[in-house]
Amino acid sequence: MLKIKELINHVAQTSLNILITGETGVGKEVVAQSLHAESNRSKNSFVKINCAALPETLLESELYGYEKGAFTGAHKKRYGKFLTADKGVLFLDEIGDMPLSLQSKMLHVLQSGEFSPLGSDQDFKTDVWVIAATNQCLEENIKNKTFREDLFYRLNIIKIDIPPLRERPEDIPALIEYYYKKYLPEHPNIQAERPDKQIMERLCRYHWPGNVRQLQNCIKKQMVLNSWDKIFDELPNDAYITGKSSSENTSQGQLAGSGMYSPEYRLENDPGNRRLRIISEFVDLSTSSEKLFEDISLKKIKKLASDKVEKEVIIFVLEKVGWNRSKAAKILKVSYKTLLYKMSEFDVNPPIS
């Protein structure tokens, strides 16, 4: 995924049409949103439309809008997505399902930047950055005459292909940590158990047919149930990886290069994952490289790390002496006043009995 992040940072300022491909649930919309966030259009709209979710006539009116009286039920004028996304991003999800009859009009808009709403003889100009996504092989659709070749080349200026999760098990620990940090604030009263070594191994061996979306849902469920056993009970047993790789397309050499492949793989023995886990406690690794480099300051990280260790040591000593602050101050070799200040700074409070 680091290569994809680098590509996002590289092309986000270009506004060239982008085609994102990958299986269902791999995170195509997340990549599209990241492109929008990193671009000079980030302050303008990100508008999404699912080409598979709407019938042909409704999809056309949603894209281009319509005038009052354009068809039965058109009681008032309505703007389409190409206008509401002006100066921003229009995300065409499931572009492979767009009816062939609408593809020629889409091609015209991409070429000229102009379109006419239904029932109107007036042309409108629009400046949108079009990002399309599909889980289909559009090259096969072209051969089957269900997708226009000229539209494909117009959309496919930059292609971002997202591998399925089973082909990148090295991403699983980082994804789990990311979603824990994302969802824990939504459940402040829940003591969710993070995966230990054995659980993490099972998660990395699982095939994840639903990709990142399935992993995300498992983490949400775990936060509520707080039982990994129940999570695994609901996962199909036939989806575990029993061979030497997560798929026939992922070679042993590829996984070895990532530091993940080993017949007796252990998360703790992978220095890359251990390093990322430590750094992620103090720096948000999900941001762009530019933002990441702005956040990385040894002085800042040293203070955060020092505070974290101090807080844990203070809590440890206080628990050992039954929260007797005078005794704790003597053990820690600081003044009573300093201990009280540190407890206030780190929001350390005795348990409510």
Side-chain angles (χ1 to χ4, degrees):
M1 288 301 289
L2 286 176
K3 289 183 179 179
I4 292 177
K5 287 186 70 173
E6 289 174 3
L7 184 57
I8 289 172
N9 296 334
H10 190 66
V11 304
Q13 302 298 328
T14 66
S15 292
L16 294 172
N17 294 341
I18 292 178
L19 179 64
I20 305 171
T21 60
E23 295 180 4
T24 299
V26 293
K28 296 187 287 293
E29 185 174 349
V30 174
V31 170
Q33 290 172 336
S34 298
L35 286 162
H36 172 247
E38 294 298 321
S39 73
N40 52 17
R41 298 172 180 253
S42 59
K43 295 182 179 178
N44 298 319
S45 300
F46 176 90
V47 179
K48 172 189 173 183
I49 186 166
N50 190 315
C51 301
L54 300 172
E56 181 177 338
T57 52
L58 187 54
L59 178 59
E60 184 176 14
S61 64
E62 282 291 310
L63 283 168
Y64 307 110
Y66 52 82
E67 295 291 331
K68 180 180 179 180
F71 51 83
T72 303
H75 301 301
K76 62 179 181 179
K77 180 178 180 178
R78 180 173 179 177
Y79 294 116
K81 303 297 186 186
F82 270 104
L83 269 186
T84 56
D86 190 41
K87 302 294 190 295
V89 169
L90 177 60
F91 178 49
L92 302 173
D93 198 12
E94 306 297 349
I95 188 68
D97 289 298
M98 177 175 283
L100 197 60
S101 57
L102 294 184
Q103 292 177 24
S104 57
K105 189 170 184 178
M106 175 64 66
L107 178 65
H108 172 74
V109 179
L110 294 178
Q111 288 175 335
S112 66
E114 297 180 348
F115 69 95
S116 297
L118 299 181
S120 173
D121 55 4
Q122 180 182 358
D123 286 338
F124 287 83
K125 194 81 175 175
T126 182
D127 173 23
V128 298
W129 181 16
V130 173
I131 301 174
T134 182
N135 59 4
Q136 301 180 23
C137 178
L138 294 186
E139 291 90 338
E140 286 296 320
N141 291 3
I142 292 170
K143 292 178 182 178
N144 297 330
K145 307 296 184 183
T146 59
F147 200 86
R148 292 181 62 115
E149 186 174 12
D150 46 6
L151 178 58
F152 171 74
Y153 288 118
R154 178 64 64 173
L155 290 170
N156 193 34
I157 298 176
I158 303 289
K159 183 176 182 179
I160 300 178
D161 183 59
I162 308 175
L165 192 54
R166 63 181 174 274
E167 293 183 9
R168 46 189 176 99
E170 67 274 12
D171 287 347
I172 292 174
L175 284 168
I176 290 172
E177 185 64 24
Y178 170 76
Y179 285 121
Y180 261 95
K181 288 183 176 180
K182 179 178 180 180
Y183 296 128
L184 273 176
E186 299 176 11
H187 307 281
N189 299 321
I190 292 178
Q191 297 295 324
E193 177 188 347
R194 276 178 164 81
D196 59 20
K197 177 177 63 178
Q198 291 181 337
I199 291 172
M200 186 65 79
E201 288 173 4
R202 291 184 68 184
L203 292 170
C204 289
R205 289 201 312 269
Y206 188 65
H207 201 258
W208 298 109
N211 289 296
V212 177
R213 187 178 297 137
Q214 184 185 11
L215 175 65
Q216 185 178 354
N217 290 338
C218 284
I219 293 171
K220 287 181 180 179
K221 193 183 300 182
Q222 153 63 11
M223 287 187 169
V224 175
L225 301 177
N226 199 23
S227 171
W228 282 107
D229 288 337
K230 291 181 180 178
I231 301 299
F232 286 120
D233 286 344
E234 296 181 12
L235 295 177
N237 290 326
D238 59 354
Y240 281 96
I241 302 167
T242 56
K244 65 182 180 181
S245 72
S246 56
S247 80
E248 293 300 317
N249 296 325
T250 305
S251 68
Q252 175 178 333
Q254 286 174 310
L255 287 174
S258 70
M260 279 294 297
Y261 180 81
S262 170
E264 297 179 355
Y265 165 70
R266 294 290 183 269
L267 181 67
E268 285 79 356
N269 291 338
D270 178 16
N273 277 315
R274 188 166 61 249
R275 188 182 303 117
L276 282 174
R277 195 167 66 248
I278 294 170
I279 295 173
S280 68
E281 294 182 19
F282 310 107
V283 179
D284 183 5
L285 297 178
S286 65
T287 60
S288 66
S289 296
E290 184 178 344
K291 179 70 166 59
L292 178 63
F293 295 153
E294 288 178 4
D295 290 344
I296 292 182
S297 158
L298 280 180
K299 185 176 180 180
K300 177 182 174 183
I301 292 173
K302 182 180 178 181
K303 176 69 167 63
L304 291 171
S306 175
D307 287 352
K308 181 181 177 67
V309 173
E310 279 191 30
K311 179 179 179 179
E312 295 302 324
V313 171
I314 288 171
I315 294 173
F316 174 78
V317 172
L318 284 167
E319 288 178 343
K320 289 295 183 183
V321 298
W323 289 86
N324 186 315
R325 288 169 289 188
S326 297
K327 286 184 179 179
K330 289 179 181 178
I331 293 170
L332 293 167
K333 298 175 180 62
V334 296
S335 68
Y336 184 76
K337 184 177 180 180
T338 298
L339 178 59
L340 294 182
Y341 172 78
K342 291 286 186 182
M343 290 177 66
S344 174
E345 180 185 7
F346 301 143
D347 194 25
V348 175
N349 300 299
I352 300 172
S353 54

